[in-house]
Amino acid sequence: MGKNLIVLLIISTLLISLPAATRLKSDLSVDQQLCKLDMDYAAGKTKISDDVYDGLILLKNQQKDSEAQPLNCQLIADNNYSHSFFMGSLRKAISVEQIRLFINQIKKQGGRCVLQPKIDGLAVELIYHKGCLVAASTRGNGYKGRDIYPLVQLSGQIPKKLYFHGAPLQDNTVLHGELYLRLDLAEKNKLKNYQHARHKVAGLTAQKKPDKTWAAWLDFYPWSWVNSPHSITEQDIQQLSGWGFNFIQQQTHYADNLEEIESWRQFYEKKSAEGPMLMDGVVLKANQKNLLTRDQQKLMPDYALAWKFPPKKAVVRIKEIYWTTGRTGKKTAILSFEPVILGGLRITKVSAGGIKNMRKLAIRVGDVISIALKGQAIAVPDRILVRTDAPVDSTPL
């Protein structure tokens, strides 16, 4: 018992004696961290995964005691290009039941469900005037974004002119979709890190003088012809494909039940690792556009639903830190938290290593961290996201 107390004193001394600047360097509320990530993403500087970002959003929504007031996070000063139509975000399903309800809602009204892969890129608006590309901008705050027309003009994949077949072109054709990097083209030039392909796109949009080589590999996947004259999504897909937008027709499917949707989701999860574009889930929408409410001013409209691939990382807030002793007498810190599901496993704790590693990390109760699976079976700490000003844990060994 005396030996354990000595070890406890050593551990507490090591942790508490860390310089305040070291321990508090990353002290941010979840709100502040999300705001910082939004700004970094808009500036093309982020390297955090969507799984971690979504995990922070989920953690924030679960908090009963809201961390101060929600921040008014202004992205970047040069988001000054007004969109023709508001650019919202897709609702994201977090359960199979939500998918089932969405399908049933469409089927009850006699419609079919359209399924497409969810491309992992950067949301942008393209405007064609009488068939000629005249404007391109990032989503920004939904109302205004950054002008990226010079960048899009450098792409060798995005149509610069639309040609009509059978019906005259509109004065203005407005498309919302995803700007992404063509991995099948960039791979030839040694782009090996597919995980950061989306970050590369964000970085290109933030450059005043975009790299012409990388810009040539950009492509656009239209997920909405905003001012389409058609009442059927299938008609939009046919026309967009005819205009030269790559992959959209061959990657559009019609699903009538959950089993079909799950099968396509698994198919595209595997396909994403093979190229030619990064994907992070599937998108469902009504084939008959009048079946679901379409409110252009809603932040998350009802006419479509995204179902992302199972996350590879999760975000947790540390609830308790305790120590275990191995057969050799080595002390190991265990970080405990509320249960999360990762890789089909229910996880409530991870090992953070011994005294030396804990001194290096300076993790405390209340900190927010991401965790990942190692070898598809063992959960391990990934990175510290938000630190707290709570005192260092001193639970007896």
Side-chain angles (χ1 to χ4, degrees), residues 22 46 57 73 98 109 136 147 166 189 197 199 232 282-283 338:
T22 300
T46 184
I57 293 288
C73 181
Q98 284 182 306
Q109 299 176 78
D147 179 9
N189 290 270
H199 303 147
I232 304 295
V282 295
V283 175
E338 295 294 331

Side-chain angles (χ1 to χ4, degrees), residues 39 49 144 178 181 196 202 220 246 278 297 334 368 376:
M39 295 176 70
S49 70
K144 291 183 178 182
E178 213 76 8
L181 195 64
H196 299 307
F220 177 79
N246 297 308
L278 218 59
Q297 297 302 314
I334 305 298
V368 175
Q376 304 300 315

Side-chain angles (χ1 to χ4, degrees), residues 117-311:
K118 184 177 181 296
I119 310 303
D120 193 8
L122 197 71
V124 302
E125 178 182 80
L126 299 186
I127 301 176
Y128 292 82
H129 179 66
K130 295 187 182 299
C132 293
L133 181 64
V134 295
S137 55
T138 61
R139 176 164 57 193
N141 63 8
Y143 298 96
K144 291 183 178 182
R146 181 192 287 124
D147 179 9
I148 58 168
Y149 179 70
L151 172 67
V152 172
Q153 280 289 90
L154 296 174
S155 166
Q157 324 307 317
I158 301 173
K160 308 303 186 301
K161 189 171 180 60
L162 310 180
Y163 297 92
F164 70 86
H165 299 281
L169 289 167
Q170 299 168 288
D171 283 347
N172 285 312
T173 299
V174 182
L175 306 178
H176 288 174
E178 213 76 8
L179 188 69
Y180 68 95
L181 195 64
R182 282 284 294 276
L183 301 179
D184 55 335
L185 302 177
E187 183 182 17
K188 298 175 183 177
N189 290 270
K190 300 182 180 180
L191 175 68
K192 297 180 180 179
N193 194 350
Y194 285 8
Q195 181 180 359
H196 299 307
R198 176 175 56 86
H199 303 147
K200 186 65 178 179
V201 175
L204 286 170
T205 64
Q207 295 174 359
K208 292 183 178 179
K209 293 184 178 180
D211 186 306
K212 292 183 179 179
T213 301
W214 287 96
W217 301 328
L218 292 174
D219 208 341
F220 177 79
Y221 196 98
W223 33 257
S224 177
W225 179 356
V226 186
N227 60 340
S228 166
H230 302 137
S231 60
I232 304 295
T233 299
E234 185 176 5
Q235 295 173 317
D236 286 354
I237 302 301
Q238 292 172 352
Q239 182 64 81
L240 290 167
S241 179
W243 281 336
F245 290 101
N246 297 308
F247 308 111
I248 187 167
Q249 189 159 33
Q250 69 188 66
Q251 292 180 347
T252 298
H253 316 280
Y254 301 91
D256 296 314
N257 55 64
L258 180 62
E259 290 70 26
E260 289 178 338
I261 292 173
E262 287 181 319
S263 177
W264 280 118
R265 182 172 177 248
Q266 293 171 7
F267 171 81
Y268 280 114
E269 183 177 15
K270 181 180 178 181
K271 191 77 172 175
S272 181
E274 303 170 357
M277 74 268 286
L278 218 59
M279 309 173 192
D280 60 356
V282 295
V283 175
L284 308 174
K285 46 193 171 185
N287 190 32
Q288 293 173 250
K289 298 179 183 180
N290 63 330
L291 294 187
L292 295 178
T293 304
R294 186 185 180 102
D295 183 349
Q296 290 293 342
Q297 297 302 314
K298 288 184 67 173
L299 182 61
M300 294 185 179
D302 297 327
Y303 61 85
L305 184 67
W307 193 17
K308 301 189 76 171
F309 300 143

